[in-house]
Amino acid sequence: MADLLDLFNGEDEGVMAEAVPPPVSPTVARRRVRLALREAREAANLTQLEVAEEMEWSLSKVIRIENGDVSISPNDLRPLLSYLKIKDRAQISALIGDAKIARLRQHVAWWQDASFRDISPQLRQFFEYESVAVAVRTFNIRYFPGALQLPEYARALTGPFADEAQPFSGDPLSADRVEAVIEARRLRREAMLSRLGSMEYRTVLDQGVFLRSTGGPAVFVRQLREMQRLATEDLIRMRMLPFDLDVPIANNASFDLLSLGGVGPGNEVMYRENGITDEIIEDKNATSRHLQRFEQLWKVSLDEDETASFVGDRISYLENMISAGDDA
């Protein structure tokens, strides 16, 4: 963190530092640089190959920089900005500063461990963004958000996919991969819990999420109680989208929206999956539309108190059912 502060404030304690924005993470800084470069290239109607040839780089280097797989050095960035006709001095200074931050050494994160190499690159990149997000908004139609799932609930969601005899389960997962997925969700949850309270977390859940007893009543009750605890302690805000809405809503699939801070549009990252593939979307128009869609869903959903009441009733019902089964 000291290195980050030095980049903004200078090392000479005798010099009065100018007002500056708070330090950003290398993850966010790298993203800002690569998006600015891609937008500038597209605005100049240049292909990645043309950039590579002009800069005397390999095409793969340009692709990896724009994808965020590697960080660009300030020495490489300066001539590239000139070629892309970025002349605004303030913008150049900001991008050079971001390029320096992006190359700062970071600790090895849990999702970079070799045991998670089979998890999709898109999801691992999403974990990285999630670790520095200042706000999270999720809309889910089938299950509770992955970052808030208890291990037994996560296992109930993932375990059946290891059984090749299971119909409608898609491609079967090996036992090792199932364990990796479950462990990833556990670590993701721990990381999220450590940050709740210092960030905004809002989730809209379809009523079906609360009715589908994934893992059986006992497992599901524990997951419901965990969601209830997080909401009661004001660590998250949770609303339910009821079946009996009297207003039309668009056909929405589940999605996660992360806000990475900053001013203006384009600071959101969206992740979504459909069981076959997953993707990260950074297009400003797409993320802006989904952000607007989330706010619409939030407004028409039951408020937090009404949702809490529904969850409480659901817990009581399931516990009564469990007790009746035990008595039998």
Side-chain angles (χ1 to χ4, degrees):
M1 181 60 71
D3 291 338
L4 284 173
L5 293 173
D6 289 343
L7 282 171
F8 285 104
N9 299 331
E11 297 180 358
D12 188 350
E13 296 180 357
V15 177
M16 180 66 70
E18 297 179 0
V20 294
V24 298
S25 75
T27 296
V28 173
R30 184 172 66 246
R31 177 177 181 270
R32 292 202 299 216
V33 172
R34 69 180 182 82
L35 291 183
L37 292 177
R38 188 176 69 190
E39 290 175 1
R41 176 182 61 77
E42 291 174 348
N45 293 318
L46 295 170
T47 66
Q48 291 176 323
L49 180 59
E50 288 173 323
V51 171
E53 291 176 345
E54 174 67 23
M55 302 303 296
E56 298 183 346
W57 297 344
S58 67
L59 175 60
S60 65
K61 178 175 179 176
V62 177
I63 293 173
R64 285 183 288 125
I65 288 172
E66 290 197 4
N67 287 347
D69 298 329
V70 296
S71 299
I72 186 171
S73 70
N75 288 339
D76 281 344
L77 180 59
R78 289 186 179 92
L80 177 57
L81 294 177
S82 176
Y83 175 59
L84 295 176
K85 294 182 171 50
I86 296 179
K87 300 179 179 180
D88 182 82
R89 296 182 65 180
Q91 183 182 12
I92 292 173
S93 178
L95 289 172
I96 294 296
D98 279 340
K100 292 178 180 178
I101 294 172
R103 295 172 68 83
L104 290 177
R105 185 183 300 276
Q106 291 181 282
H107 71 280
V108 177
W110 65 263
W111 58 83
Q112 296 172 314
D113 188 88
S115 61
F116 303 120
R117 63 184 179 277
D118 288 336
I119 294 177
S120 77
Q122 293 84 359
L123 185 53
R124 282 185 276 118
Q125 185 179 37
F126 181 75
F127 292 155
E128 182 177 4
Y129 286 146
E130 191 176 63
S131 71
V132 297
V134 298
V136 178
R137 300 172 181 86
T138 75
F139 173 64
N140 296 75
I141 60 176
R142 291 188 177 88
Y143 44 78
F144 292 108
L148 304 180
Q149 294 174 7
L150 293 174
E152 56 265 40
Y153 181 82
R155 181 175 293 278
L157 283 170
T158 309
F161 287 85
D163 185 355
E164 295 186 26
Q166 282 282 338
F168 313 117
S169 65
D171 295 331
L173 303 180
S174 68
D176 288 344
R177 190 173 179 189
V178 168
E179 292 304 317
V181 170
I182 293 171
E183 177 64 4
R185 289 183 184 172
R186 184 187 69 81
L187 294 171
R188 181 187 179 192
R189 177 174 175 271
E190 288 183 357
M192 180 59 69
L193 290 179
S194 71
R195 301 186 64 228
L196 291 178
S198 62
M199 61 180 292
E200 177 190 6
Y201 194 110
R202 287 195 286 160
T203 182
V204 174
L205 303 169
D206 185 79
Q207 184 172 339
V209 174
F210 297 96
L211 298 178
R212 187 174 293 108
S213 299
T214 301
V219 168
F220 194 64
V221 162
R222 286 193 288 274
Q223 181 65 54
L224 284 174
R225 285 200 174 278
E226 173 66 0
M227 300 300 293
Q228 185 184 56
R229 178 187 72 83
L230 295 174
T232 301
E233 295 179 5
D234 293 327
L235 296 176
I236 67 171
R237 298 179 65 190
M238 178 173 63
R239 290 188 175 186
M240 185 180 78
L241 188 67
F243 290 151
D244 59 351
L245 275 180
D246 59 359
V247 295
I249 60 171
N251 182 19
N252 297 284
S254 299
F255 60 87
D256 291 3
L257 269 175
L258 306 179
S259 175
L260 301 181
V263 179
N267 295 304
E268 279 74 37
V269 172
M270 182 171 68
Y271 175 81
R272 61 186 178 189
E273 58 179 329
N274 60 18
I276 298 176
T277 185
D278 62 344
E279 60 182 340
I280 285 182
I281 297 174
E282 296 179 305
D283 177 75
K284 293 179 182 179
N285 292 329
T287 56
S288 295
R289 286 197 306 271
H290 280 78
L291 181 59
Q292 182 182 36
R293 185 69 52 77
F294 178 87
E295 296 300 336
Q296 292 170 340
L297 292 167
W298 182 262
K299 290 178 180 178
V300 300
S301 296
L302 299 185
D303 66 26
E304 287 93 321
D305 290 339
E306 293 170 319
T307 300
S309 178
F310 185 93
V311 172
D313 289 343
R314 182 70 174 142
I315 290 173
S316 296
Y317 171 81
L318 290 172
E319 288 181 334
N320 288 336
M321 186 172 66
I322 293 170
S323 296
D326 289 343
D327 291 340

